[in-house]
């Protein structure tokens, strides 16, 4: 799918406070105007990214903790200062122990900042330098380049490795060209073959190309990230960057050269069975019964820690589900009981991020927020949702998610905007009963639905009942949940969810 935004500015290395103002977020592209000055067509030159190094040539070996080794061919003939800078910094051990602090799926992974925030770093000469550009090098998949703060004259130590769009077509170029971008025929043909980020060409200093370990880079781009594209937890750590020589080993330029299992085609992880002894929570809802929840600390570490700690401390005991919307979700966790309160265990808000294979399937538990995952607090919701015609979902969600949303149900329009961190494995029938309570004009239950207690326990191997169809006493609910909507109804439901999401799963009042 062709995105309606140019994200080149996401690569900015924010060296100063003033630079941060202009480079801290994506540059939006409207349908009515151009975000770049019109350019003349670039010269028809051969793109040299995929020219093999000669034996004895200097290459870079980057060891990424828990992921593997990436080897990179350098191009001093086209980016002399860029190569010299990187080599000298690597020899000094400058990059060892730093992280990839910004990761954007289908775009790039960015690192090389000693502060780990995108605001630091400097060249081997101190401060910034101008690495320039060269038309022989393009932002194809696997290209290595310097991040900057608006021009190549602000190159420093921060760099990125391109993953990019793997489905570049003539339509891709037509889209960019209407906003003033221009590409040579050789650029177009190569991008259509190998993928990349063509709109970055001419603005950043490319100085290398991955010759082995491209699969490592692609695996890294799927790390769970927060709202600022920063990896969660310990992040992606660069153990070492070594300067070595090419010894004639096999070169693997393309993703197809690897035995690579695309994570987007892997199964959704919501329904991964807990192991005996694993930490779970038993939520006792007054007059309804017990709801048991499995968690995903490997994908949402802060979110799980926040919820479990709150549960242990009795924070949620006696609170209510203050907002209930049939075929959508039930929301609680606000000590004020009206959607205006609550905070994290650290005080205030926190960023729980998102993970692409944790989806809003029926029974998923996630944090409400006020517009981004950086505004998570204590409020959470449990999804009920509805089923969708799989034809309407095709291409917009993974095959695994498509199957789940079309058979089990959920709210796909929420994916990517909220931190999913758990899944109901018993008591889903209770959640489905609660969603049908009588509510007032603000979706507040007329009679309070009270969380009597939350108990942190260890999973004891009891039966897993992930789906509403697993419950004998939920026949009516099951029939309602399993009935596929028509194309018109499904489209209307998704539209309604998109319009009400920020308002109806918010942790603060408008």
């Amino acid at each position: 799918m062709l995105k309606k935004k140019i994200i080149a500015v996401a690569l900015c290395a924010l060296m100063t406070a003033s630079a941060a103002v202009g480079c801290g977020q994506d540059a939006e592209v409207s349908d009515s105007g151009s975000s770049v000055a019109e350019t003349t067509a670039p010269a028809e030159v051969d793109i040299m990214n995929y020219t093999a190094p000669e034996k004895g040539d200097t290459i870079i070996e980057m060891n990424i903790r828990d992921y593997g080794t990436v080897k990179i061919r350098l191009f001093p003939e086209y980016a002399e200062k860029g190569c010299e800078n990187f080599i000298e910094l690597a020899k000094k051990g400058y990059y060892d122990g730093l992280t990839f602090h910004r990761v954007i799926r289908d775009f790039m992974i960015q690192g090389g900042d000693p502060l780990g925030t995108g605001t630091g770093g400097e060249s081997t000469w101190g401060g910034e330098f101008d690495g320039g550009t060269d038309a022989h090098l393009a932002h194809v998949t696997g290209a290595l380049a310097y991040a900057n703060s608006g021009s190549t004259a602000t190159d420093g130590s921060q760099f990125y490795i391109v993953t990019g769009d793997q489905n570049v077509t003539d339509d891709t170029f037509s889209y960019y060209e209407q906003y003033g971008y221009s590409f040579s025929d050789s650029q177009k043909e190569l991008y259509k073959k190998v993928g990349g980020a063509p709109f970055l060409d001419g603005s950043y200093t490319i100085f290398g190309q991955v010759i082995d370990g491209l699969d490592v880079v692609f695996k890294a781009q799927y790390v769970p990230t927060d709202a600022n594209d920063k990896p969660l937890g310990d992040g992606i750590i660069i153990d070492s960057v070594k300067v070595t020589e090419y010894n004639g080993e096999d070169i693997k330029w393309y993703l197809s050269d690897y035995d690579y299992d695309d994570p987007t085609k892997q199964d959704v992880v919501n329904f991964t069975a807990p192991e005996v002894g694993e930490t779970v929570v038993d939520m006792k809802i007054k007059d309804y019964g017990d709801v048991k929840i499995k968690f995903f600390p490997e994908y949402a570490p802060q979110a799980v820690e926040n919820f479990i700690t709150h549960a242990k401390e009795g924070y949620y005991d006696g609170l209510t589900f203050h907002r209930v919307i049939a075929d959508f979700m039930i929301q609680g966790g606000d000590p004020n009981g009206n959607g205006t309160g609550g905070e994290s265990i650290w005080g205030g808000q926190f960023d729980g991020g998102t993970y692409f294979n944790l989806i809003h399937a029926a029974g998923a538990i996630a944090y409400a927020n006020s517009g981004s995952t950086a505004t998570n607090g204590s409020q959470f919701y449990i999804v009920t949702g509805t089923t969708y015609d799989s034809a309407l979902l095709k291409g917009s969600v993974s095959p695994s998610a498509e199957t789940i949303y079309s058979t089990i149900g959920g709210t796909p329009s929420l994916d990517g905007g909220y931190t999913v961190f758990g899944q109901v494995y018993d008591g889903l029938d209770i959640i489905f009963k609660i969603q049908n309570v009588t509510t007032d004009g603000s979706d507040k239950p007329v009679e309070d639905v009270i969380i009597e207690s939350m108990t942190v326990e260890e999973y004891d191997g009891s039966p897993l009942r992930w789906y509403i169809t697993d419950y004998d006493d939920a026949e009516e609910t099951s029939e309602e949940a399993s009935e596929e909507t028509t194309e018109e109804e499904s489209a209307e439901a998704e539209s309604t969810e998109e319009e009400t999401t920020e308002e109806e799963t918010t942790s603060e009042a408008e």
Side-chain angles (χ1 to χ4, degrees), residues 26 156 164 215 239 253 267 291 375 391 461 488 507:
D26 292 353
D215 58 334
D239 273 332
W253 297 115
D267 290 341
V291 176
T375 59
E488 180 178 349
S507 60

Side-chain angles (χ1 to χ4, degrees), residues 97-113:
L98 302 189
T99 64
F100 283 96
H101 62 272
R102 177 167 284 175
V103 175
I104 303 177
R105 178 178 156 191
D106 299 329
F107 185 36
M108 59 88 220
I109 65 174
Q110 181 177 341
D113 175 11

